[in-house]
Amino acid sequence: MSDDHSPDAGPVIIWFRRDLRVHDHPALTEAAAAGRLVPLFVVDPALWDSPRTAPVRRWFLAGSLRALDAALQARGSRLIVRHGRPADVVPAVAREAAATAVLATRD
């Protein structure tokens, strides 16, 4: 993130994609330093609803999201989970939260 974010600058969205951990997570560390976090995971229907996505993969993802939410709750936050196209959902959540930035790690 190149802009300086003071605590008064507004929240920062941390968009969790494949990296569903809280320890040693560069984007999460940067977002936490910037101030208020809005942790977000988007369930992409192109992947979730695909006939090639096995039920066990959905089960594993759901469990991983519950574990991530629990880890975030232990740090005073909550995971927001939305279903939809990330290109639509991420900007919509950013507007709702009046976020000043969206951070994510590379896939």
Side-chain angles (χ1 to χ4, degrees):
M1 181 166 53
S2 60
D3 297 335
D4 289 330
H5 288 276
S6 69
D8 298 332
V12 174
I13 301 222
I14 175 67
W15 176 20
F16 286 94
R17 295 163 21 147
R18 294 176 191 234
D19 192 354
L20 303 180
R21 59 194 167 99
V22 295
H23 68 283
D24 191 30
H25 190 290
L28 179 60
T29 302
E30 188 171 347
R36 195 175 129 236
L37 300 180
V38 179
L40 173 66
F41 183 86
V42 181
V43 179
D44 188 342
L47 299 175
W48 186 264
D49 298 334
S50 170
R52 296 180 357 177
T53 302
V56 70
R57 183 173 183 189
R58 289 185 193 101
W59 173 83
F60 182 80
L61 177 59
S64 297
L65 292 174
R66 282 191 299 274
L68 175 58
D69 186 41
L72 290 166
Q73 284 183 49
R75 290 163 174 78
S77 191
R78 290 292 312 247
L79 180 64
I80 295 170
V81 178
R82 298 277 175 92
H83 188 89
R85 291 182 49 235
D88 299 328
V89 174
V90 174
V93 172
R95 281 189 302 276
E96 288 172 27
T100 57
V102 176
L103 300 178
T105 56
R106 289 189 176 139
D107 284 339

